[in-house]
DNA sequence: CCCCCCCC
C-alpha cells in the first residue's frame, strides 16, 4: 500500500505558516523531560521531503506513544497543532510544533520502513526556502508595566490572536517573552501564612489551554491585584510571570513548571471567541476502581450524590481549628459508592436533596479505619450537574434504576463487613512495615487463626449507662459503683474484654477484643456469656475452647504502647468475620497473578 | 515567598 505524505508541509510549518492536517511519518521519538504524569516526548517526523525533530507531543497524547499505538514508521495525520518560537536555545530562535491531535493512518508495523528519502531540515534550508507566509511573532507587549499596576487595560487584547499566543506546554524558565491564552480551571481562596521566613497571603489558580496545564500563584500585592478579577472558567491573556520548577509533592497539575505572578505580570480577559481553549480536563476514574488506588492519590471522579450527611462541626485535634464538614456518598454505574468529604463553606452550602451529579477534579484519596474515602482539598474543584456527557449519562442511569442498584461502598466502616476494600497482609508484613510505631495507630486486615483465648476475666460487669462501659466496683451491698460516672447502680451490663493469641503462617500476635468483636468470635452476646459465667462455668469454659483454632478475617488496630518502660504492641480487634472462602480465594488468585504474572 | 488541606 502506498502512503501519501504531505511533501513540503514541514517547510511551510517551520516558516511559521499553516498547513491543514499534514500527513507525516514518525521516524523516532525521545523523552525530553519529566517522568510519570509529567513526561514529555519529542518526535522525529518526516513529510517525505524533509525530516526534523521539532515536534513535541502534547502530554495528553503520551499514552499513544507509551502503549505503542504510535510507533516508529507510523503514518499519521496531524489534525491539530500549534507552533511556538523558543528563544535562548543557544542558536537564537527555534520553532517547535506541538501536536495536539493526531490520527494514526497506518501503524508502524504495517509501514515498516522510512518512506521516501527525506533530508534533515536545517535553519539554512529555512533561509533558502521561499518565505511563503510571514513568521508569526509573539504578541507585542507594553514596554514597561503600567504605572498604576492596573491589570486589565494594559493589554489590548484585540491585538492578540490565538496564533500569536504561546502554548502552555512550551513555557519554560528559559524564555520570558510569551503570552498564553488560558482558561482558569480552578481558583483557590485567599490564604495567609506566617512562618519563620515571614508572613503573607496568596491565592493560586490552575490554567489550561490546548497544549497543557499549569499552576499560577499570586502572592501579597499580586494577590490583592488579581484576586477579584480572576474568574473560574474565563479565558485570559497572561504574560510576564516568573517560571520555576514545580514541586510535584503539592500538585497534580501536569507540568514540570509553575508560575508566580510578578509586579510586571499582565492579565487581560479574552473578549473574543475562546471556544478553542478547552474547558477543564477531567480524567474520571470509575468509583469501583478508586479502591485500587493508593492513599493520597489525587484523582478526578464523577458520581450521583446518593446521600449527604448533616453539616458537622468539629475541632481539629492537632491545630484546635474549628472545622465544618459534610460527607456525601457518590455512586456511579460501575457499582461502586464512595464518601466524599466537603469542608468549610462548600460543606455549609451543599444541598444534596435533588441528588445532583458531582464532578470532582483533584480530590484526595484517604484511608481511615481501613476504608477509603475522598476528601476535598483547597484545590479540589467541584461542579454540580455539569454540562458534560458523563454527567448526562449518569443522570440517565440514576433516574432509570441506577438509584436502586446494589453498590459496593468503598467507604463502608469497619465493624461491619467492609466489602473487601483493604488488602490482607501477614504478621511479618505488619512487622516489616513497622505498623503501630506512629502516633496515630495503624489499621490492617489479616487472615488468622485464634490459637489461644484467655477465658478468665473475659467477662466483666460494666456501667449500665449506654455510653459508659467502665468496669464497676462491687460495693458488696447489692450496689455497683462507676468511678467514671461517680454513681452507684443496682444493675449492670456484661461486657467482654477478651485476650487471645492469633497466628498466621508468618507469626503470631497477642490481641485484645472488646465486646462487639469478641461476640462475633464467640458467637454469643455478652449478656449470654455473662450468664454462663455466673451459672454454668463448664459451658463458659467450653465456649472459649470451641473457638480455638477457628479462622477469621481480622481487622486490627495496632499501636506501640509503653508498659513499665517496656514498649509493646497493643493490637485491638476492630472486627472479626468468618471467612468467605470464595472471596478469600479471589484475593489469593489476584495476589498470585500479581506476583507471578501468570494468568490462572 | 505557599506546600496547611483538617474529623471520626
Amino acid at each position: 500500500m502506498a502512503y501519501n505524505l504531505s511533501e513540503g508541509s514541514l517547510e511551510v510549518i517551520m516558516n511559521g505558516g499553516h498547513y491543514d492536517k499534514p500527513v507525516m511519518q514518525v521516524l523516532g521519538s525521545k523523552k525530553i523531560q519529566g517522568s510519570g504524569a509529567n513526561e514529555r516526548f519529542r518526535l522525529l517526523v518526516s513529510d517525505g521531503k524533509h525530516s526534523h525533530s521539532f515536534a513535541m507531543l502534547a502530554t495528553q497524547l503520551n499514552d499513544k506513544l507509551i502503549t505503542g499505538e504510535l510507533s516508529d514508521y507510523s503514518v499519521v495525520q496531524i489534525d491539530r497543532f500549534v507552533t511556538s518560537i523558543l528563544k535562548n536555545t543557544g542558536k537564537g530562535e527555534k520553532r517547535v510544533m506541538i501536536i495536539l491531535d493526531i490520527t494514526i493512518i497506518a501503524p508502524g508495523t504495517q509501514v515498516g520502513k522510512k518512506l521516501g528519502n527525506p533530508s534533515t531540515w536545517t535553519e539554512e534550508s529555512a533561509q533558502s526556502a521561499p518565505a511563503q507566509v510571514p513568521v508569526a511573532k509573539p504578541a507585542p507587549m507594553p514596554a514597561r508595566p503600567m504605572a498604576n499596576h492596573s491589570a486589565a487595560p494594559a493589554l489590548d487584547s484585540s491585538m492578540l490572536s490565538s496564533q500569536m499566543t504561546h502554548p502552555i506546554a512550551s513555557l519554560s524558565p528559559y524564555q520570558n517573552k510569551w503570552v498564553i491564552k488560558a482558561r482558569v480551571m480552578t481558583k483557590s481562596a485567599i490564604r495567609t501564612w506566617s512562618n519563620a521566613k515571614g508572613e503573607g497571603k496568596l491565592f493560586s489558580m490552575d490554567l489550561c489551554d490546548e497544549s497543557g496545564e499549569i499552576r499560577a500563584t499570586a502572592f501579597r500585592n499580586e494577590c490583592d491585584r488579581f484576586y477579584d478579577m480572576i474568574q473560574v472558567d474565563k479565558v485570559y491573556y497572561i504574560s510576564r510571570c516568573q517560571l520555576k520548577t514545580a514541586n510535584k509533592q503539592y500538585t497534580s497539575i501536569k507540568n514540570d513548571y509553575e508560575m508566580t505572578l510578578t509586579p510586571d505580570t499582565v492579565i487581560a480577559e479574552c473578549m473574543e471567541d475562546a471556544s478553542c481553549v478547552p474547558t477543564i480536563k477531567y480524567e474520571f476514574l470509575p468509583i469501583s476502581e478508586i479502591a485500587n488506588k493508593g492513599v493520597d492519590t489525587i484523582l478526578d471522579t464523577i458520581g450521583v450524590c446518593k446521600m449527604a450527611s448533616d453539616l458537622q462541626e468539629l475541632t481539629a485535634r492537632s491545630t484546635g481549628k474549628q472545622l465544618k464538614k459534610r460527607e456525601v456518598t457518590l455512586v456511579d454505574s460501575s457499582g461502586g459508592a464512595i464518601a466524599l468529604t466537603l469542608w468549610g463553606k462548600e460543606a455549609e452550602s451543599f444541598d444534596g436533596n435533588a441528588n445532583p451529579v458531582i464532578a470532582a477534579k483533584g480530590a484526595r484519596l484517604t484511608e481511615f479505619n481501613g476504608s477509603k474515602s475522598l476528601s476535598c482539598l483547597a484545590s479540589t474543584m467541584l461542579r454540580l450537574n455539569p454540562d458534560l456527557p458523563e454527567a448526562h449519562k449518569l443522570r440517565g442511569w440514576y433516574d432509570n434504576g441506577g438509584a436502586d442498584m446494589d453498590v459496593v461502598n468503598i467507604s463502608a466502616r469497619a465493624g461491619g463487613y467492609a466489602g473487601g476494600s483493604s488488602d490482607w497482609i501477614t504478621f511479618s508484613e505488619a512487622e516489616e512495615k513497622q505498623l503501630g510505631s506512629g502516633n496515630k495507630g495503624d489499621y490492617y486486615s489479616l487472615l488468622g487463626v485464634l490459637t489461644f483465648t484467655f477465658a478468665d476475666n473475659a467477662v466483666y460487669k460494666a456501667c449500665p449507662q449506654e455510653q459508659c462501659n467502665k468496669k464497676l466496683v462491687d460495693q458488696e451491698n447489692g450496689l455497683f459503683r462507676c468511678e467514671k460516672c461517680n454513681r452507684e447502680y443496682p444493675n449492670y451490663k456484661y461486657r467482654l474484654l477478651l485476650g487471645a493469641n492469633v497466628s498466621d503462617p508468618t507469626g503470631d500476635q497477642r490481641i485484645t477484643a472488646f465486646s462487639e468483636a469478641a461476640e462475633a468470635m464467640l458467637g454469643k452476646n455478652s449478656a449470654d456469656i455473662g450468664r454462663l459465667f455466673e451459672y454454668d462455668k463448664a459451658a463458659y469454659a467450653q465456649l472459649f475452647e470451641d473457638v480455638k483454632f477457628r479462622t477469621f478475617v481480622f481487622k486490627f488496630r495496632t499501636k506501640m504502647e509503653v508498659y513499665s518502660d517496656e514498649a509493646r504492641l497493643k493490637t485491638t480487634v476492630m472486627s472479626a468475620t468468618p471467612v468467605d472462602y470464595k472471596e478469600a480465594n479471589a484475593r489469593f488468585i489476584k495476589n498470585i497473578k500479581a506476583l507471578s504474572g501468570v494468568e490462572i
Side-chain angles (χ1 to χ4, degrees):
Chain A
M1 175 173 174
Y3 304 98
N4 288 323
L5 301 183
S6 304
E7 278 192 29
S9 58
L10 205 140
E11 204 172 331
V12 174
I13 294 163
M14 288 309 284
N15 279 316
H18 186 75
Y19 195 104
D20 196 43
K21 301 192 176 180
V23 175
M24 299 200 192
Q25 184 180 30
V26 176
L27 295 177
S29 62
K30 192 181 169 194
K31 186 159 97 175
I32 50 172
Q33 57 182 222
S35 60
N38 302 295
E39 283 173 325
R40 192 161 291 158
F41 293 93
R42 201 167 72 184
L43 298 183
L44 173 62
V45 294
S46 154
D47 67 359
K49 187 177 173 192
H50 289 116
S51 68
H52 196 38
S53 59
F54 78 132
M56 274 162 66
L57 204 57
T59 47
Q60 69 266 25
L61 300 180
N62 283 357
D63 272 355
K64 291 196 192 291
L65 259 188
I66 294 161
T67 60
E69 194 189 342
L70 181 60
S71 55
D72 289 0
Y73 302 132
S74 300
V75 173
V76 300
Q77 174 173 295
I78 298 168
D79 299 318
R80 250 170 0 115
F81 67 91
V82 288
T83 67
S84 170
I85 293 174
L86 296 186
K87 299 195 182 222
N88 299 345
T89 56
K91 288 191 197 164
E93 297 188 351
K94 186 182 171 186
R95 185 176 293 275
V96 297
M97 172 171 72
I98 293 159
I99 298 172
L100 301 171
D101 242 319
I102 208 165
T103 305
I104 295 167
I105 292 175
T109 48
Q110 191 182 312
V111 182
K113 62 173 197 299
K114 183 160 81 174
L115 300 173
N117 189 19
S119 59
T120 305
W121 196 89
T122 60
E123 299 300 321
E124 289 69 46
S125 40
Q127 279 150 20
S128 63
Q132 293 145 314
V133 209
V135 174
K137 283 268 189 311
M141 294 296 299
R144 57 182 69 227
M146 303 301 280
N148 63 5
H149 276 184
S150 77
L155 258 189
D156 178 358
S157 72
S158 67
M159 289 168 69
L160 297 164
S161 74
S162 58
Q163 242 199 330
M164 295 162 110
T165 60
H166 294 67
I168 285 175
S170 75
L171 299 186
S172 77
Y174 316 109
Q175 177 217 6
N176 47 28
K177 279 205 169 172
W178 48 260
V179 183
I180 57 168
K181 181 179 177 180
R183 193 180 299 276
V184 176
M185 297 191 288
T186 66
K187 169 187 163 185
S188 77
I190 292 177
R191 194 162 57 81
T192 58
W193 83 88
S194 174
N195 59 28
K197 287 185 235 163
E199 53 182 38
K201 56 177 163 179
L202 70 110
F203 82 94
S204 64
M205 54 183 164
D206 295 338
L207 306 167
C208 73
D209 71 5
E210 288 178 300
S211 74
E213 51 188 22
I214 194 163
R215 169 159 300 174
T217 307
F219 292 97
R220 303 176 221 252
N221 285 343
E222 287 70 60
C223 177
D224 289 339
R225 205 170 128 217
F226 291 111
Y227 186 78
D228 289 335
M229 162 189 186
I230 296 295
Q231 284 175 269
V232 171
D233 250 1
K234 285 197 170 173
V235 173
Y236 299 90
Y237 292 106
I238 301 173
S239 70
R240 299 189 175 198
C241 298
Q242 190 181 74
L243 276 117
K244 59 170 191 172
T245 306
N247 191 338
K248 303 293 196 214
Q249 198 184 334
Y250 305 116
T251 167
S252 59
I253 288 292
K254 292 187 181 63
N255 202 313
D256 284 346
Y257 305 112
E258 59 188 24
M259 43 199 230
T260 303
L261 278 57
T262 74
D264 290 347
T265 294
V266 178
I267 301 182
E269 191 181 337
C270 169
M271 297 301 186
E272 330 82 65
D273 174 41
S275 54
C276 62
V277 184
T279 49
I280 306 160
K281 287 185 275 289
Y282 291 99
E283 284 175 45
F284 291 130
L285 198 60
I287 292 170
S288 62
E289 286 174 30
I290 296 176
N292 306 326
K293 295 285 171 182
V295 168
D296 287 344
T297 304
I298 307 278
L299 55 88
D300 306 345
T301 198
I302 186 164
V304 181
C305 168
K306 189 168 188 174
M307 286 180 293
S309 75
D310 291 336
L311 186 71
Q312 290 160 264
E313 298 196 40
L314 49 106
T315 310
R317 209 193 300 156
S318 50
T319 59
K321 233 201 255 178
Q322 284 298 117
L323 304 172
K324 287 176 183 159
K325 73 157 195 175
R326 192 192 299 269
E327 223 168 68
V328 303
T329 303
L330 299 181
V331 295
D332 73 5
S333 53
S334 73
I338 194 163
L340 171 70
T341 306
L342 317 185
W343 300 95
K345 283 206 175 73
E346 213 155 37
E348 266 180 274
S349 60
F350 182 81
D351 179 3
N353 281 324
N355 300 104
V357 173
I358 300 178
K361 185 179 168 63
R364 178 198 265 177
L365 188 58
T366 65
E367 190 168 338
F368 179 71
N369 268 7
S371 59
K372 284 172 175 164
S373 66
L374 293 172
S375 185
C376 286
L377 307 176
S379 55
T380 303
M381 227 228 24
L382 290 188
R383 288 263 163 115
L384 264 56
N385 299 316
D387 186 14
L388 295 170
E390 294 92 337
H392 299 307
K393 225 170 120 187
L394 271 176
R395 179 86 272 150
W397 164 78
Y398 190 83
D399 293 345
N400 293 287
D404 305 317
M405 182 171 155
D406 280 334
V407 287
V408 176
N409 192 342
I410 292 164
S411 310
R413 290 278 181 262
Y417 185 58
S421 63
S422 64
D423 290 338
W424 296 348
I425 63 168
T426 61
F427 281 129
S428 73
E429 284 170 322
E431 198 179 339
E432 258 168 54
K433 293 181 179 188
Q434 298 189 307
L435 295 185
S437 52
N439 296 327
K440 284 176 89 174
D442 293 306
Y443 295 83
Y444 66 97
S445 296
L446 175 145
L447 186 71
V449 177
L450 204 59
T451 47
F452 191 80
T453 51
F454 298 87
D456 298 344
N457 307 320
V459 67
Y460 68 96
K461 294 185 176 76
C463 176
Q465 291 294 325
E466 200 173 345
Q467 293 304 320
C468 181
N469 295 321
K470 182 86 181 156
K471 187 176 179 176
L472 297 169
V473 180
D474 192 340
Q475 302 292 89
E476 312 275 341
N477 59 359
L479 293 175
F480 300 87
R481 176 166 177 78
C482 176
E483 299 288 355
K484 198 170 164 188
C485 301
N486 196 23
R487 264 191 67 179
E488 290 184 345
Y489 298 97
N491 58 329
Y492 52 82
K493 66 188 176 204
Y494 281 112
R495 299 269 310 163
L496 301 171
L497 199 166
L498 174 64
N501 280 337
V502 172
S503 291
D504 81 349
T506 69
D508 70 309
Q509 181 65 53
R510 168 71 195 251
I511 58 96
T512 302
F514 294 101
S515 292
E516 291 74 13
E519 285 174 351
M521 285 188 267
L522 295 163
K524 270 199 175 359
N525 68 38
S526 300
D528 287 346
I529 295 167
R531 258 191 298 278
L532 294 180
F533 177 72
E534 297 288 351
Y535 304 114
D536 191 347
K537 285 279 197 282
Y540 174 83
Q542 192 58 44
L543 189 63
F544 290 87
E545 281 303 309
D546 289 347
V547 76
K548 279 189 200 165
F549 305 112
R550 284 188 51 198
T551 304
F552 295 97
V553 177
F554 292 97
K555 194 160 273 188
F556 293 126
R557 177 182 192 273
T558 190
K559 190 175 180 308
M560 195 63 81
E561 291 191 355
V562 179
Y563 299 100
S564 55
D565 293 340
E566 199 193 331
R568 216 189 295 169
L569 268 189
K570 187 178 161 105
T571 301
T572 309
V573 182
M574 307 303 295
S575 71
T577 48
V579 188
D580 173 344
Y581 286 97
K582 200 175 160 192
E583 193 238 342
N585 284 336
R587 283 174 181 268
F588 294 140
I589 289 168
K590 195 177 145 205
N591 286 351
I592 292 168
K593 274 184 192 166
L595 287 169
S596 65
V598 176
E599 285 297 316
I600 300 163

